[in-house]
Amino acid sequence: MILKRIGGLIEPLKVICVQNVQCVGAFSYGFEASRSISTTGINLLEIGAESEGHDKKNISKAMKAYLERAREHDEFMKKQREEYQIGKRHLANMMGEDPETFTQGDVDNAIEYLFPSGLFEKKARPFMKPPEEVFPQRKAAEFDETGRPHHFLFYTGRPNFYQVLHDTVQHINDLYKFEDVMISKNLRPDKNLELDLSGYQWISKTDLEAKLVERIGDKDYDSLINALERLCNLPYSYKAKDFILQFKKPLMNQIQNFDVPKPKYDSEGRAYITTYECRRKAAKGDVTVRTPGTGKITINGQGITYFQDVQSREQLLFPLIFTNMQNKVDIECNVADGGYSGQAGAIRWGIAWGLRSFVDQETIEKMRLAGLLTKDVRTRERKKPGQQGARRKFTWKKR
């Protein structure tokens, strides 16, 4: 056995000596010889080829079945992707849209329009999604024909999980280096580019397992979340925003951002905001929020005792308690029509809508996530002719 240094690494070279041969051939593991060496009736390269073919013939049946299943799954997913693309193009043509710019949201709207369904369960309604979202994910082939794993972290038992940890640490180290460079140049991070993750939360352990196609424990999940939290707290974390958002999900889709109005001032110098068109069911009214105040609430010239039931009173106080403003503002309400439940809902929305001008942006985001800023437009469904009620039918009797 002879040791030879190749590119900084020491690799063993097998020396094959044959009688009546003037030169000696050296074959190293992992690369082929540059020339063939003929001996008395023996070609050494042919011997190597025969041995390589012999190894292929000795592939176990389990390995062949494993590779065959992986190949069949890849072909199946490829076929499903092609069918999905064809179906999306047909759907775009039916709706008169450009197939190249037809998004998944357009597909969902087209399916709902062309195939309306009254089924309550969304999973029972017709849909068309990419095959990756319909069929459960499976790990790709992890071995080659010789039994060598593709992933360098295969022997950890959870290569995908440790790959995410590895990438997280890599991003942290890169941001540390970038921060050192910026400090050497006397530059500070721009606050306008600061990473804002309000309205997002970390994906659950179940969702993470589905994403990684691996089972992980609670301790491993906590370790990953702690590492990602550390990455988010770095001053230049916005450079790794795309990586971080892979493990975040929005709490609620924010459809529209409303501009917060600036408060006005009365003759006493107190700031106030009046919200009109406060509606709930058949009730409508207006709400004025004044600050500074003592927590006084006036409803149609009366106190909070205007509502006799406790539930309606709690509806009014909830926005004030949620924002910790119950003893800092005064509320004046005028409401008409509807019942006590509708009037309480209208006033609650008006109070929450007016409090936006007196709290910070983070509190406004929490109010939005809690549903305080969403107007409840639900009303009683009317009775239909030929029916006993809005949905109820008369009892049908055959005889």
Side-chain angles (χ1 to χ4, degrees):
M1 184 69 68
I2 298 177
L3 298 179
K4 181 179 179 181
R5 184 175 296 275
I6 300 177
L9 300 176
I10 297 177
E11 294 190 3
L13 299 179
K14 294 182 181 179
V15 179
I16 303 176
C17 298
V18 183
Q19 294 181 355
N20 300 327
V21 179
Q22 296 179 355
C23 57
V24 178
F27 294 86
S28 64
Y29 181 80
F31 62 94
E32 297 180 354
S34 59
R35 59 194 180 94
S36 62
I37 304 172
S38 298
T39 63
T40 54
I42 301 177
N43 190 320
L44 297 183
L45 285 182
E46 293 179 358
I47 295 176
E50 292 177 359
S51 61
E52 185 179 359
H54 181 69
D55 293 339
K56 289 185 178 180
K57 293 180 181 179
N58 291 337
I59 298 177
S60 64
K61 294 182 179 180
M63 179 62 68
K64 289 182 179 180
Y66 167 79
L67 295 174
E68 182 65 21
R69 287 196 301 269
R71 184 185 62 80
E72 290 178 355
H73 178 71
D74 293 341
E75 292 180 355
F76 172 77
M77 294 299 293
K78 181 180 179 181
K79 181 179 179 181
Q80 294 298 322
R81 292 190 197 97
E82 294 175 354
E83 292 181 356
Y84 170 76
Q85 293 297 331
I86 294 174
K88 188 171 73 169
R89 296 186 70 87
H90 284 313
L91 201 60
N93 294 331
M94 293 172 65
M95 299 298 295
E97 301 289 343
D98 184 9
E100 301 299 332
T101 60
F102 206 62
T103 62
Q104 182 59 40
D106 298 331
V107 171
D108 297 337
N109 295 333
I111 292 292
E112 185 177 359
Y113 175 76
L114 296 173
F115 308 99
S117 175
L119 297 175
F120 179 77
E121 180 60 41
K122 290 185 178 180
K123 294 181 179 179
R125 301 174 185 173
F127 66 92
M128 189 173 73
K129 301 284 186 182
E132 291 79 10
E133 300 181 17
V134 177
F135 301 100
Q137 293 185 359
R138 289 179 52 184
K139 280 191 175 182
E142 300 180 86
F143 306 96
D144 57 12
E145 294 181 355
T146 60
R148 296 180 182 178
H150 298 301
H151 204 288
F152 73 101
L153 294 173
F154 170 77
Y155 291 105
T156 61
R158 292 189 294 270
N160 294 337
F161 171 74
Y162 285 104
Q163 179 68 55
V164 174
L165 276 179
H166 178 273
D167 294 341
T168 304
V169 175
Q170 185 64 41
H171 281 290
I172 292 175
N173 293 334
D174 293 342
L175 292 181
Y176 278 150
K177 293 179 182 179
F178 183 78
E179 185 177 3
D180 293 339
V181 173
M182 299 299 288
I183 291 175
S184 64
K185 297 180 181 179
N186 294 327
L187 297 177
R188 296 183 178 180
D190 189 358
K191 292 186 177 180
N192 295 327
L193 298 177
E194 186 177 354
L195 183 62
D196 183 16
L197 296 177
S198 57
Y200 289 87
Q201 68 176 2
W202 297 112
I203 61 177
S204 62
K205 176 174 170 288
T206 304
D207 295 337
L208 182 61
E209 289 178 341
K211 183 179 182 65
L212 300 178
V213 202
E214 292 176 353
R215 298 294 298 274
I216 60 175
D218 295 335
K219 187 176 180 179
D220 295 330
Y221 174 76
D222 295 337
S223 299
L224 177 60
I225 297 301
N226 291 335
L228 291 171
E229 287 283 0
R230 181 179 177 183
L231 177 61
C232 294
N233 294 332
L234 295 179
Y236 296 97
S237 58
Y238 62 86
K239 298 179 68 66
K241 181 178 179 181
D242 294 338
F243 175 76
I244 295 173
L245 290 182
Q246 294 179 15
F247 308 98
K248 286 277 191 178
K249 66 177 182 180
L251 293 173
M252 184 184 299
N253 294 327
Q254 187 170 2
I255 300 175
Q256 186 176 3
N257 292 324
F258 297 95
D259 295 332
V260 178
K262 295 182 179 180
K264 301 178 182 179
Y265 294 89
D266 57 12
S267 59
E268 299 178 357
R270 294 199 303 171
Y272 72 94
I273 285 290
T274 301
T275 305
Y276 299 96
E277 295 296 327
C278 303
R279 292 180 175 274
R280 173 74 178 99
K281 295 184 179 178
K284 56 180 179 292
D286 57 82
V287 178
T288 302
V289 181
R290 299 181 186 272
T291 185
T294 59
K296 181 180 179 181
I297 299 178
T298 304
I299 306 171
N300 292 343
Q302 305 180 30
I304 197 172
T305 55
Y306 174 83
F307 294 109
Q308 299 179 358
D309 58 326
V310 178
Q311 182 178 3
S312 298
R313 298 178 184 179
E314 291 177 348
Q315 289 287 317
L316 298 183
L317 296 176
F318 180 67
L320 299 172
I321 296 175
F322 187 84
T323 56
N324 196 22
M325 298 284 287
Q326 59 267 34
N327 296 322
K328 301 178 182 178
V329 295
D330 291 337
I331 308 296
E332 299 176 7
C333 310
N334 295 311
V335 64
D337 300 334
Y340 287 130
S341 176
Q343 291 181 357
I347 295 175
R348 165 184 159 165
W349 181 83
I351 293 175
W353 204 249
L355 287 175
R356 298 177 305 153
S357 302
F358 307 112
V359 296
D360 55 9
Q361 190 64 33
E362 184 178 356
T363 305
I364 294 176
E365 181 66 18
K366 292 180 180 179
M367 293 172 64
R368 183 186 68 83
L369 296 176
L372 290 173
L373 303 181
T374 303
K375 182 180 289 189
D376 192 350
V377 297
R378 296 176 299 173
T379 58
R380 181 182 179 87
E381 188 175 351
R382 73 175 185 87
K383 178 186 177 300
K384 305 329 186 277
Q387 298 180 184
Q388 194 171 356
R391 301 289 180 91
R392 185 179 177 86
K393 308 297 189 299
F394 291 111
T395 302
W396 180 79
K397 295 182 180 179
K398 187 174 181 179
R399 293 179 179 85

